[in-house]
């Protein structure tokens, strides 16, 4: 199957008017640009896949990281891993119409699922800080799973209807091939992907803001100065982690939707680069945050027993340290 990479980089076009040495300078520049973007996507995506695998294995091996917060994070990493993998599959273009539509719909579903898991994580962080009862019970994880894996199906159904209405033939992929089948039609991208993702990111930001307010109030109630500062640092690390992940995903989604609708080459190049590296950025952020929190956890275990008993009466946090 001939792809954009094989046709553009290794193809040998026939000589014609305006061509020099078998290829014009304008086409050569375009081919070189496509080749560089394909190389960036493959290399960056490969690094992201490796980083996501290591982060997932880390949370799988250590039992103290497999709390509800850690489990939701593992689901986010798994969904992001599938997004990065399918993103690499589409490099160079897909000529088969059925494979192109399948790739676009799969990416549509998984990208929305990633943001759903992010919103679930932010909600759980707020529930942890606010000490909401039964926040770590199995039914809570079941609710998060139904929301994060089920809600994207609604978005996917809407995208399918919009795609059929826009093209009158769902197997017509002429408009999708220039975008490597990473997106569906413009209407489906905006209304069934862009708007739901924006709403999910706003809900995640809302819970982060509420968590920051409650955490500040909770920390102010701590009588021990050392415990108060430690709580502040831990909560600040957690809030910054979720904020960084939200910004990374939000910027990539924004560039992707804008480049798909406006067809700006610069935005497309930024999107390809950012999307290929977002898995690596998220995995590194999670790893650094986890390492620092484990250090704080070890220090807290070294406290005298009478100090721990005194501080626990005023501490409105989970008994076990959050892994994220």
């Amino acid at each position: 199957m001939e792809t954009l990479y094989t046709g553009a980089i290794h193809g040998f076009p026939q000589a014609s008017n305006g061509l020099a040495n078998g290829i014009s300078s304008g086409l050569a520049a375009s081919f070189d640009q496509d080749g560089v973007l394909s190389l960036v996507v493959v290399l960056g995506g490969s690094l992201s896949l490796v980083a996501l695998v290591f982060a997932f294995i880390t949370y799988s091996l250590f039992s103290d990281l497999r709390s509800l917060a850690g489990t939701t994070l593992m689901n986010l990493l798994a969904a992001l891993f599938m997004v990065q993998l399918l993103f690499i599959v589409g490099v160079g273009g897909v000529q088969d119409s059925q494979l192109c539509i399948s790739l676009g719909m799969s990416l549509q579903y998984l990208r929305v699922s990633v943001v759903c898991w992010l919103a679930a994580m932010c909600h759980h962080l707020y529930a942890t800080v606010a000490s909401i009862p039964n926040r770590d019970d199995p039914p809570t994880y079941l609710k998060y799973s139904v929301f994060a894996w089920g809600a994207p199906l609604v978005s996917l159904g809407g995208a399918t209807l919009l795609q059929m209405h826009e093209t009158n033939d769902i197997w017509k992929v002429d408009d999708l091939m220039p975008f490597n089948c990473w997106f569906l039609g413009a209407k489906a991208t905006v209304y069934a992907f862009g708007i739901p993702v924006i709403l999910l990111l706003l809900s995640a930001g809302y819970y982060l803001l509420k968590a920051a307010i409650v955490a500040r109030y909770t920390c102010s109630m701590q009588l021990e100065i050392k415990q108060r500062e430690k709580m502040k640092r831990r909560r600040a690390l957690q809030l910054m982690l979720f904020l960084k992940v939200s910004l990374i995903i939000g910027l990539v989604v924004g560039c992707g939707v804008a480049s798909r609708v406006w067809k700006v080459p610069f935005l497309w190049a930024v999107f390809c680069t950012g999307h290929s590296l977002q898995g690596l950025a998220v995995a590194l952020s999670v790893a650094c945050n986890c390492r620092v929190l484990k250090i704080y956890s070890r220090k807290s275990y070294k406290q005298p027993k009478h100090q721990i008993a005194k501080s626990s009466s005023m501490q409105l946090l989970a008994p076990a340290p959050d892994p994220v």
Side-chain angles (χ1 to χ4, degrees):
M1 183 176 62
E2 184 182 10
T3 63
L4 180 62
Y5 179 78
T6 57
I9 305 303
H10 298 293
F12 299 95
Q14 301 294 328
S16 59
N17 294 331
L19 295 181
N21 297 324
I23 191 168
S24 66
S25 59
L27 286 176
S30 176
F31 291 164
D32 291 340
Q33 183 180 5
D34 292 336
V36 169
L37 285 178
S38 298
L39 182 61
V40 169
V41 170
V42 172
L43 293 179
S46 300
L47 292 175
S48 295
L49 290 176
V50 173
L52 289 171
V53 167
F54 274 103
F56 187 88
I57 292 176
T58 300
Y59 276 80
S60 301
L61 293 179
F62 298 99
S63 58
D64 55 346
L65 296 179
R66 290 197 298 267
S67 62
L68 179 56
T71 306
T72 54
L73 179 58
M74 290 170 61
N75 280 273
L76 184 143
L77 295 175
L80 192 57
F81 177 87
M82 293 302 300
V83 170
Q84 296 294 123
L85 183 60
L86 293 178
F87 193 73
I88 295 178
V89 171
V91 172
V94 178
Q95 302 300 322
D96 185 74
S97 60
Q98 296 181 356
L99 181 59
C100 184
I101 289 294
S102 300
L103 181 62
M105 289 184 174
S106 299
L107 284 172
Q108 175 98 3
Y109 171 80
L110 289 171
R111 283 170 177 156
V112 178
S113 180
V114 168
V115 186
C116 286
W117 278 113
L118 178 62
M121 289 170 57
C122 294
H123 177 270
H124 180 260
L125 176 63
Y126 165 69
T128 302
V129 175
S131 296
I132 296 179
N134 302 325
R135 64 182 182 277
D136 288 333
D137 290 347
T140 303
Y141 173 70
L142 180 61
K143 293 177 182 178
Y144 286 159
S145 298
V146 171
F147 167 71
W149 295 119
L153 291 175
V154 179
S155 172
L156 182 60
T160 304
L161 295 177
L162 289 174
Q163 182 70 16
M164 295 175 61
H165 182 268
E166 184 176 357
T167 60
N168 297 323
D169 183 9
I170 194 172
W171 303 118
K172 186 178 180 180
V173 295
D174 295 338
D175 188 44
L176 309 184
M177 289 183 178
F179 300 96
N180 297 336
C181 300
W182 288 332
F183 292 98
L184 296 177
K187 291 183 179 179
T189 300
V190 172
Y191 295 106
F193 173 64
I195 294 179
V197 168
I198 290 175
L199 294 177
L200 289 170
L201 289 175
L202 289 177
S203 65
Y206 169 75
Y207 284 116
L208 285 180
L209 181 60
K210 291 185 65 175
I213 295 174
V214 175
R216 183 171 182 176
Y217 174 75
T218 303
C219 293
S220 64
M221 296 176 61
Q222 180 59 245
L223 299 179
E224 293 287 340
I225 297 179
K226 292 183 178 180
Q227 288 296 322
R228 184 191 312 160
E229 295 300 321
K230 191 177 298 183
M231 290 169 57
K232 287 182 179 179
R233 287 194 294 266
R234 280 182 51 189
R235 292 310 176 193
L237 284 171
Q238 292 173 318
L239 291 170
M240 288 303 300
L241 171 64
F242 292 141
L243 182 60
K244 287 188 291 185
V245 174
S246 300
L247 289 177
I248 292 171
I249 295 176
L251 289 175
V252 172
V253 168
C255 289
V257 174
S259 61
R260 177 64 181 88
V261 176
W262 297 332
K263 301 179 180 180
V264 179
F266 175 74
L267 288 177
W268 180 250
V270 173
F271 165 72
C272 292
T273 305
H275 196 292
S276 62
L277 295 174
Q278 69 173 347
L280 177 62
V282 171
L284 290 177
S285 299
V286 170
C288 294
N289 188 82
C290 177
R291 181 179 179 183
V292 175
L293 285 178
K294 292 292 288 182
I295 293 175
Y296 286 150
S297 177
R298 295 192 192 101
K299 290 182 179 179
S300 64
Y301 292 149
K302 294 180 181 179
Q303 292 179 348
K305 294 183 178 180
H306 68 278
Q307 291 186 5
I308 296 177
K310 184 178 180 180
S311 60
S312 60
S313 61
M314 295 298 296
Q315 191 174 9
L316 301 178
L317 297 173
D322 294 330
V324 293

